[in-house]
Amino acid sequence: MKVINLGQTNSIINPIVREIRDQDIQQDSFRFRHNLERLGELFAYEISKTMEYHPVHVSTSLGNLDVAELKQQPVLATILRAGLPLYQGMLHLFDKANNAFISAYRSYQKNGEFDIQVEYVSSPPLSGRCFIIADPMLATGASMALTCRELFHSHGEPDSIHLVCVIASTEGIEYLKKKMPGKNITLWTAAIDEDLTAKAYIVPGLGDAGDLAYGPKEDVQNDQAY
């Protein structure tokens, strides 16, 4: 698995990441969602550089020319609910893409450990496709690995796989390298943080992306980190 940290290079990505981390700016959920969408657009642009193109003939009012266009549209996916703004930003650029949606959450046990539960999957066929999945936080890496396993088992193996997260933990990256070692897999992130809390939240991270984007949820039985 290849890891690309766009935050290592000075660009407009870094001040956007600063804003989504800032606990004062986070109080504005519209701004938080909008910043995630902006990052989704930037990730999509960078990923588009790695894809295959072919010439398409165009006639203008003054002449003719060939323009490079995607050979095949990607499949965009997201893990509900936190991934929706990041996914929407990518969809702004890949506006002809097919789409997949997954519901997954952490089911905590009394000892504090948790399992990842996948409850809903909707996806087109993935065999031979370029697959791009968005989830803003990569903490342990378990949700991403399990989601991809479920999708590929039931809908086919993509030719290329792009995992997109805004902030990743070192532990999560190492976990994915073990669970998803394929050469056709690229992890895209804008920041890598070293630590996790006892409940597997990234430190310094930014908190619960789903709550910040859409408001707090009522946890009845499980801490559902969508």
Side-chain angles (χ1 to χ4, degrees):
M1 185 182 76
K2 183 178 181 181
V3 178
I4 297 179
N5 180 5
L6 297 179
Q8 287 183 320
T9 302
N10 288 332
S11 75
I12 195 63
I13 284 177
N14 290 319
I16 298 174
V17 173
R18 178 192 64 79
E19 286 198 5
I20 67 170
R21 286 188 190 264
D22 190 306
Q23 60 182 347
D24 294 324
I25 298 176
Q26 286 177 350
Q27 304 307 309
D28 185 343
S29 59
F30 172 81
R31 186 171 176 182
F32 184 83
R33 291 194 305 271
H34 181 58
N35 277 330
L36 285 179
E37 287 188 20
R38 294 166 71 195
L39 289 170
E41 293 174 351
L42 293 167
F43 278 119
Y45 172 70
E46 293 296 331
I47 292 171
S48 74
K49 298 176 184 178
T50 72
M51 301 171 72
E52 293 187 10
Y53 291 78
H54 67 140
V56 174
H57 190 71
V58 178
S59 296
T60 77
S61 59
L62 298 174
N64 303 301
L65 74 160
D66 289 335
V67 178
E69 289 198 6
L70 289 172
K71 275 189 175 181
Q72 184 185 55
Q73 292 295 324
V75 176
L76 299 184
T78 189
I79 301 176
L80 303 174
R81 64 181 169 155
L84 283 170
L86 188 62
Y87 151 85
Q88 186 62 53
M90 295 195 302
L91 188 60
H92 289 165
L93 269 67
F94 293 121
D95 57 329
K96 297 180 178 65
N98 296 136
N99 298 274
F101 300 92
I102 307 95
S103 171
Y105 67 90
R106 295 175 178 179
S107 178
Y108 280 93
Q109 304 169 13
K110 291 182 179 180
N111 62 4
E113 296 181 356
F114 63 86
D115 299 314
I116 304 298
Q117 302 292 327
V118 176
E119 290 192 340
Y120 173 81
V121 175
S122 173
S123 175
L126 299 176
S127 296
R129 304 293 297 275
C130 172
F131 176 74
I132 307 171
I133 183 167
D135 194 17
M137 309 297 286
L138 181 75
T140 65
S143 295
M144 184 68 79
L146 179 60
T147 295
C148 289
R149 188 180 71 187
E150 293 282 338
L151 277 169
F152 303 160
H153 175 73
S154 56
H155 297 280
E157 190 79 22
D159 271 356
S160 59
I161 300 165
H162 299 274
L163 316 176
V164 178
C165 60
V166 177
I167 300 175
S169 75
T170 302
E171 181 178 323
I173 292 173
E174 293 306 312
Y175 181 86
L176 287 186
K177 285 181 177 179
K178 293 177 182 177
K179 295 294 183 179
M180 303 179 67
K183 294 181 180 179
N184 65 333
I185 302 174
T186 303
L187 171 67
W188 300 79
T189 187
I192 298 175
D193 291 352
E194 294 294 328
D195 298 322
L196 294 176
T197 68
K199 294 191 71 174
Y201 281 90
I202 301 174
V203 179
L206 54 78
D208 189 309
D211 285 1
L212 292 169
Y214 298 109
K217 56 192 172 292
E218 182 180 11
D219 294 337
V220 179
Q221 293 179 333
N222 300 312
D223 182 5
Q224 298 189 353
Y226 287 101

